[in-house]
Amino acid sequence: MYDFAYHKPTTIADAVKILSEDPDAKPISGGMTLLPALKHRLNQPTALVDLGGIAELRGVKREGDAVVIGAMTTHYAVATDPLVKQFIPALARMASTVGDTQVRNRGTMGGSLANNDPAADYPAAAIALGATFITSSRRIAADDFFLGMFTTALEPGELLVAISFPIPEKAGYAKLRNPASRYSMAGVFVAKGPAGVRVGVNGAGPCVFRQKEMEAALSANWSASALSGIRQSAEELNSDIHGSAEYRANLVEVMAKRALAGAG
Ligand SMILES: Cc1cc2nc3c(=O)[nH]c(=O)nc-3n(C[C@H](O)[C@H](O)[C@H](O)COP(=O)(O)OP(=O)(O)OC[C@H]3O[C@@H](n4cnc5c(N)ncnc54)[C@H](O)[C@@H]3O)c2cc1C
């Protein structure tokens, strides 16, 4: 580790002020990704702005036809929250499969989405449910939020405050976990909601994406048989020591059917 300043503001406005005055400062939520990055010197911010003291960034509430989840809400809190379990049970179940007990107790929904790891779970849910990202300065549709591997539409100094998930009629998620990290080798979130049928895929490519062929098929016929003829192209999918692009393409098809079965 090396020297850096540490701030623990208690309001969003104060956090944004510190971040805007120092372009090399970084927000930290649970530290599950950022702390290892600091230890390996992959990231060397001049200051850390700890979001842990900002109460308004935590918690779950219902707003009209949506469930709104604060960016600092932990995976454990998402998995066990009564509102999430009642209105978007697939999201609660997904949160319960993130990493291990320690990661779920420290890691946050906002940290995961701001990080946009290609193998993270939440991006697929956000895309499929047609979520809206509420930041310290604007609202961003999920389709416009994920720009590429570890890259989002967040500007420097802009904080993710909450994520608004429209309540779906049906939703399900399935992933094949990497046995070591539990990150997704390929995961598929299917949802039928106010924005129609949407299918989000994580783990398979360099960034979460919508599987539009599956969306069209499921819009016409919400059943696993509708997916039978659809082949996921391996082009542009990830190949690494854990699995080839062809293997991941096959996983997408299998996980989509499992997600659908779980969605009812
Ligand atoms: C062993 C292990 C296993 C894991 N397994 C999984 C898994 O199976 N599935 C999965 O999805 N994830 C997994 N994760 C990731 C985990 O879900 C964390 O949520 C993720 O690492 C982000 O960590 P964090 O929430 O603590 O954010 P941090 O590490 O504190 O921050 C991550 C990044 O987001 C930025 N940031 C944080 N909060 C905000 C905000 N409110 N606004 C703007 N920027 C912000 C930070 O500056 C930093 O760049 C795993 C992590 C570990 C260590």
Side-chain angles (χ1 to χ4, degrees):
M1 290 289 237
Y2 56 94
D3 286 346
F4 53 81
Y6 174 78
H7 304 276
K8 194 165 184 185
T10 53
T11 65
I12 294 170
D14 283 350
V16 170
K17 184 166 182 288
I18 300 166
L19 288 165
S20 58
E21 284 169 358
D22 179 357
D24 294 323
K26 270 188 98 64
I28 182 164
S29 44
M32 291 292 94
T33 290
L34 189 50
L35 282 181
L38 296 186
K39 284 183 180 169
H40 290 107
R41 299 195 175 223
L42 296 170
N43 219 308
Q44 299 196 6
T46 47
L48 288 183
V49 181
D50 186 346
L51 305 180
I54 307 177
E56 57 191 314
L57 289 178
R58 281 184 202 281
V60 179
K61 59 187 173 187
R62 184 164 176 200
E63 267 180 15
D65 291 335
V67 173
V68 180
I69 302 181
M72 278 295 290
T73 308
T74 63
H75 309 317
Y76 174 77
V78 175
T80 55
D81 184 87
L83 280 176
V84 183
K85 283 167 78 173
Q86 181 181 353
F87 293 110
I88 321 181
L91 188 62
R93 280 197 296 276
M94 165 189 271
S96 75
T97 69
V98 171
D100 49 36
T101 309
Q102 290 81 359
V103 169
R104 289 194 290 277
N105 275 286
R106 291 291 309 173
T108 63
M109 178 179 271
S112 173
L113 288 165
N115 195 46
N116 192 20
D117 188 312
D121 293 295
Y122 290 113
I127 284 275
L129 291 165
T132 299
F133 290 77
I134 302 160
T135 80
S136 45
S137 56
R138 58 189 169 137
R139 296 169 78 90
I140 308 170
D143 283 341
D144 301 325
F145 186 80
F146 303 104
L147 300 186
M149 188 183 278
F150 296 109
T151 311
T152 71
L154 288 173
E155 299 285 350
E158 185 176 13
L159 275 187
L160 188 52
V161 170
I163 303 93
S164 174
F165 294 96
I167 295 170
E169 198 185 310
K170 293 178 177 189
Y173 177 64
K175 69 170 168 177
L176 184 79
R177 300 182 199 198
N178 179 307
S181 69
R182 277 89 157 188
Y183 273 105
S184 167
M185 294 279 297
V188 179
F189 200 107
V190 296
K192 188 185 207 181
V197 172
R198 293 167 63 104
V199 178
V201 178
N202 62 30
C207 184
V208 64
F209 63 91
R210 283 175 67 186
Q211 221 298 359
K212 297 203 174 172
E213 245 185 296
M214 290 183 180
E215 291 180 356
L218 292 173
S219 300
N221 173 16
W222 180 263
S223 78
S225 62
L227 299 175
S228 295
I230 296 175
R231 293 283 157 270
Q232 168 64 48
S233 162
E235 211 175 310
E236 294 182 21
L237 296 192
N238 298 337
S239 259
D240 55 28
I241 55 166
H242 304 294
S244 64
E246 290 73 22
Y247 178 65
R248 284 188 162 89
N250 184 59
L251 278 182
V252 171
E253 297 165 19
V254 175
M255 293 304 133
K257 286 178 189 155
R258 289 188 190 171
L260 199 73

